[in-house]
């Protein structure tokens, strides 16, 4: 079973930052017991092919060129393991490095999220999105500016990637919504796969999917987040994210959404052209 763990290399005006670091290859021996023990107890097995650092180096990126790493799960890092055996943070992860806590300016928001304009020019925002954990953050990266956007009919429509992290774990936690209700007809529903390459795939009536919804709704998400430190805040953050998902020029990418593995191009390819490549539509978000 494939599980995604998306990390992002963001380059802007000569600066490089990493948002997330995925899962380390040696997680079983170099992660704190508070993380490894529950996994071992549950019989979980993870095989990680490469560290993010290895992916970067294999593609010619010098690790010394990385200016900062955004740690979106802002757990308290002191004390950490091994000083505090219950900590989910291992001291070696930050030893010898400068660590800065993110402070958000009061009143500044992107959408309904308290936000920080990281570079100060609107190219990348950090969004306070507590719930999964108390200090969880998402990112909002401007991938195309209207000043350089092509084709011409797209003028004045900047595109963005909403870097969702663990704000949710599957599309059904934020869809359908009042902005993206279940359509009356789903033309490419995978349940009705064609029997041959020349066969016509029949459409699926939208009301069929509404009947299996717990509330039989066409405008409320199928799932409710339950694996959260604060479920009320988690749902509130997801509701705020729906405002962004409403726009076809914003592509929501969750950290562990494995359905995207066959849709997006991974490093060293870039993601700026996601709109032209129709990643959102191919991922099921429609445009």
């Amino acid at each position: 079973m494939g599980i995604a763990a998306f990390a992002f290399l963001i380059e802007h005006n000569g600066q490089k930052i990493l948002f997330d670091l995925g899962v380390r290859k040696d997680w079983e021996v170099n992660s704190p017991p508070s993380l490894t023990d529950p996994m071992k107890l549950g019989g979980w097995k993870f095989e990680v092919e490469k560290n993010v650092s290895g992916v970067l180096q294999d593609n010619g990126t010098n690790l010394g060129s990385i200016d900062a790493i955004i740690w979106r799960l802002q757990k308290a890092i002191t004390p950490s393991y091994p000083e505090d055996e219950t900590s989910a943070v291992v001291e070696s992860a930050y030893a010898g490095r400068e660590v800065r806590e993110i402070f958000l300016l009061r009143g500044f928001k992107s959408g309904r999220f308290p936000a920080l304009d990281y570079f100060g020019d609107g190219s990348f925002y950090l969004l306070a999105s507590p719930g999964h954990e108390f200090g969880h953050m998402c990112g909002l990266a401007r991938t195309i500016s209207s000043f350089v956007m092509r084709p011409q009919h797209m003028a004045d429509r900047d595109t963005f990637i909403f870097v969702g992290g663990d704000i949710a774990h599957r599309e059904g936690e934020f869809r359908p919504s009042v902005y993206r209700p279940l359509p009356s007809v789903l033309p490419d529903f995978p349940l009705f796969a064609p029997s041959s390459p020349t066969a016509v795939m029949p459409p699926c009536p939208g009301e069929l999917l509404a009947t299996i919804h717990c509330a039989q709704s066409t405008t409320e998400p199928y799932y409710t987040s339950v694996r959260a430190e604060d479920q009320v805040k988690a749902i509130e953050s997801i509701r705020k994210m729906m405002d962004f998902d409403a726009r076809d020029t914003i592509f929501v990418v969750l950290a562990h959404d494995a359905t995207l593995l066959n849709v997006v191009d991974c490093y060293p390819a870039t993601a700026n052209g996601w709109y032209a490549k129709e990643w959102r539509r191919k991922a099921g978000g429609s445009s």
Side-chain angles (χ1 to χ4, degrees), residues 87-116:
S87 175
V89 178
V90 62
E91 183 180 358
S92 61
Y94 63 88
R97 306 182 184 191
E98 181 181 5
V99 179
R100 296 183 181 181
E101 184 176 355
I102 297 295
F103 291 98
L104 305 181
L105 295 176
R106 182 174 297 178
F108 182 76
K109 293 186 175 182
S110 178
R112 291 189 287 153
F113 287 106
L116 173 72

Side-chain angles (χ1 to χ4, degrees), residues 8-286:
F8 292 81
L9 175 64
I10 299 167
E11 300 186 40
H12 181 64
N13 288 344
Q15 295 188 61
K16 296 180 181 180
I17 63 174
L18 275 174
F19 189 97
D20 264 1
L21 289 173
V23 180
R24 60 189 302 166
K25 187 174 181 179
D26 59 354
W27 69 269
E28 200 164 5
V29 294
N30 280 320
S31 296
S34 63
L35 293 179
T36 58
D37 287 353
M39 294 180 184
K40 292 176 181 177
L41 185 63
W44 296 9
K45 285 287 185 180
F46 291 99
E47 294 183 7
V48 182
E49 184 178 346
K50 291 182 180 180
N51 292 323
V52 168
S53 58
V55 174
L56 292 172
Q57 289 175 311
D58 289 349
N59 289 281
T61 297
N62 186 335
L63 298 185
S65 68
I66 305 299
D67 295 287
I69 297 172
I70 305 298
W71 204 340
R72 65 172 169 80
L73 296 177
Q74 293 198 24
K75 297 175 179 288
I77 62 172
T78 22
S80 54
Y81 182 82
E83 181 180 348
D84 179 2
E85 294 188 353
T86 66
S87 175
V89 178
V90 62
E91 183 180 358
S92 61
Y94 63 88
R97 306 182 184 191
E98 181 181 5
V99 179
R100 296 183 181 181
E101 184 176 355
I102 297 295
F103 291 98
L104 305 181
L105 295 176
R106 182 174 297 178
F108 182 76
K109 293 186 175 182
S110 178
R112 291 189 287 153
F113 287 106
L116 173 72
D117 186 347
Y118 187 88
F119 293 110
D121 60 4
S123 58
F124 182 63
Y125 299 93
L126 295 177
L127 313 177
S129 46
H132 176 74
E133 288 189 354
F134 77 93
H136 183 272
M137 292 188 302
C138 296
L140 182 67
R142 190 185 304 269
T143 47
I144 293 290
S145 168
S146 58
F147 291 107
V148 297
M149 186 173 287
R150 297 293 185 272
Q152 188 61 39
H153 74 274
M154 284 293 295
D156 300 322
R157 299 189 72 199
D158 293 10
T159 65
F160 298 82
I161 287 181
F162 188 100
V163 185
D166 282 320
I167 191 173
H169 295 91
R170 54 188 62 84
E171 185 179 304
E173 290 179 56
F174 60 96
R175 291 179 187 156
S177 68
V178 292
Y179 309 112
R180 297 283 177 182
L182 281 177
S184 58
V185 174
L186 284 78
D188 300 316
F189 192 57
L191 180 63
F192 303 129
S195 56
S196 70
T198 58
V200 176
M201 185 184 303
C204 172
E207 59 264 26
L208 179 63
L209 294 183
T211 61
I212 62 174
H213 192 291
C214 59
Q216 296 197 353
S217 172
T218 60
T219 58
E220 286 293 318
Y222 272 94
Y223 311 127
T224 299
S225 176
V226 294
R227 298 185 62 84
E229 192 171 80
D230 187 321
Q231 186 175 358
V232 173
K233 288 185 176 180
I235 294 174
E236 180 182 340
S237 290
I238 289 172
R239 294 283 178 180
K240 293 176 181 178
M241 180 177 66
M242 289 179 183
D243 299 345
F244 290 82
D245 186 55
R247 302 188 60 174
D248 62 10
T249 51
I250 299 179
F251 180 35
V252 174
V253 179
L254 305 178
H256 307 299
D257 185 357
T259 65
L260 298 181
L261 291 173
N262 294 322
V263 173
V264 304
D265 298 326
C266 293
Y267 191 77
T270 63
N272 296 70
W274 69 265
Y275 188 95
K277 295 178 180 179
E278 299 186 314
W279 287 357
R280 178 180 167 119
R281 181 190 63 79
K282 294 174 183 177
S286 69

